[in-house]
Amino acid sequence: MKHLLLALVAVMGLAAHAAPAKKNSVTVDRIDPTCWYAGMKNPSVQLMVSGPGIKNAEVSINYPGVKIDSLVRLDSPNYLLVYLNTSGAQPGTINIDFTLGKKKKTVSYELKQRDMAGDKRQGFTNEDVLYMLMPDRFADGDQSNNAVAGMQPYTTDRSKPSLRHGGDLAGIEQHLDYFTDLGVTALWFTPVLENDSPDGHGHSCYHGYATTDYYRVDPRFGTNDDYRRLIDKAHARGLKVVMDMIFNHCGSYHPWLKDMPAKDWLNQSDYKNNYLQTSYKLTPVVDPYASEVDLRETVEGWFVPSMPDLNHHNVHVMNYLIQNSIWWIESAGIDGIRMDTYPYAYADAMARWMMTLNDEYPNFNVVGETWVENPYYTATWQKDSKLARQNSNLKTVMDFSFYEKVDSAKHQATDGWWHG
């Protein structure tokens, strides 16, 4: 028995000594953006590093033209923001050292060559004819991605209107001649980014407006490489591609919801106890006489419970989103952005985003969804509008007033005085 007790004590002692080694190990699960580009006008880039306990890591770099401006240690122990200055750096592989105690991990990070300077990118214009489509509903060109293992439970069933139908990027690519035969010059897809939300009550997230990964095409549509190849082939046929983005909210199955980087990463972070629903009333955003209560309800309330509202007044959240839009322009070669639910986000943060894009890409174009049928409201959001209290810097605004008039003309019976 004495020998057994000594053996147990020895094993317990070894376990006690082994625990700190595990604690001090360094694991980097992911870095966003997944790569960056040399020669940007703004040399600063925010790297969001995630991994167990990475918050406490020290970081060092030895690469010509790159230095660390700051480290931001967020509330969660599993995130660390590394702000790099890339002024004067040439394309190449940067080795980033993460150190915890006596443990060190070196991660290779690529600084890529840009395809072209920002002012060479030409966005869509009023000379283009846009064709809107939902990738899931257009054509199924690759049936092998209809059932992707490892994703939240979902069903592909073309007989059910609210479930996924299996359309993908391959299906679009196989029908590019269809668009040119129609005479359209630009394609606007509803969001192609990963939407890993499970089916519920006979409904799926086929529309794509609940993002769960900002740097990954949904595998049911294809891969990032498939997206780039599709855009290249569209360009070869004279077709531009407009990417649908959503800054206002993400999806409830985004990893941020399991492990929130900071307490104020979302609007209404205590949503489980104090949920705030948006009113969908957009006039308080531009009305100088609107109450603070109405304004807060519009911009801080969640669009729906499954779409958490991002807090754009957290500068790191907005930096993440701004960089993501730049990354897709550079990596995929998109020709424009359609921004969903534009007025639901903080107007000053969105104006900063547009100023950044306009500076880097003066000939690029962004259209904002501003679903109010009053022409005054639409005009207020237009770049350099004299009606606005703050310049939105938004070059193009969706004209829902015109949409309403066309819809009315199509569907209303004509009376002798007002309608139709």
Side-chain angles (χ1 to χ4, degrees), residues 321-334:
L321 296 171
I322 291 173
Q323 288 183 175
N324 180 253
S325 64
I326 292 172
W327 188 87
W328 282 108
I329 295 171
E330 296 290 334
S331 69
I334 58 175

Side-chain angles (χ1 to χ4, degrees), residues 124-183:
F124 68 95
T125 70
N126 57 7
E127 296 180 353
D128 285 304
V129 178
L130 272 73
Y131 183 106
M132 178 208 177
L133 62 88
M134 284 188 172
D136 178 73
R137 301 308 166 96
F138 185 73
D140 187 355
D142 180 5
Q143 295 189 4
S144 69
N145 59 26
N146 288 351
V148 179
M151 306 201 77
Q152 297 292 336
Y154 73 97
T155 300
T156 300
D157 186 346
R158 292 177 66 87
S159 69
K160 301 293 175 55
S162 293
L163 294 180
R164 294 182 183 273
H165 288 186
D168 49 32
L169 298 179
I172 299 171
E173 182 180 322
Q174 293 165 14
H175 292 85
L176 288 176
D177 289 341
Y178 168 76
F179 304 114
T180 54
D181 290 345
L182 282 177

Side-chain angles (χ1 to χ4, degrees), residues 313-326:
H313 279 172
N314 179 320
V315 66
H316 308 300
V317 173
M318 202 62 201
N319 287 344
Y320 183 97
L321 296 171
I322 291 173
Q323 288 183 175
N324 180 253
S325 64
I326 292 172

Side-chain angles (χ1 to χ4, degrees), residues 181-249:
D181 290 345
L182 282 177
V184 303
T185 62
L187 305 177
W188 157 27
F189 311 151
T190 53
V192 298
L193 298 185
E194 181 193 274
N195 271 245
D196 192 15
S197 301
D199 292 353
H201 306 291
H203 291 79
S204 70
C205 199
Y206 67 88
H207 49 75
Y209 288 97
T211 308
T212 55
D213 190 332
Y214 284 94
Y215 284 93
R216 184 192 190 199
V217 167
D218 195 296
R220 287 162 289 206
F221 294 156
T223 65
N224 289 19
D225 289 340
D226 293 335
Y227 187 49
R228 175 62 192 253
R229 185 180 66 250
L230 169 59
I231 292 172
D232 287 344
K233 290 190 174 183
H235 288 168
R237 288 170 169 78
L239 292 167
K240 298 174 182 176
V241 175
V242 177
M243 189 174 193
D244 206 324
M245 293 185 179
I246 315 102
F247 280 9
N248 179 67
H249 52 263

Side-chain angles (χ1 to χ4, degrees), residues 8 35 109 147 254 256 293 420:
L8 286 172
C35 65
Y109 189 81
H254 194 289
W256 290 337
V293 171

Side-chain angles (χ1 to χ4, degrees), residues 27-31 49-52:
T27 301
V28 174
D29 291 331
R30 176 169 177 151
I31 299 179
V49 185
S50 57

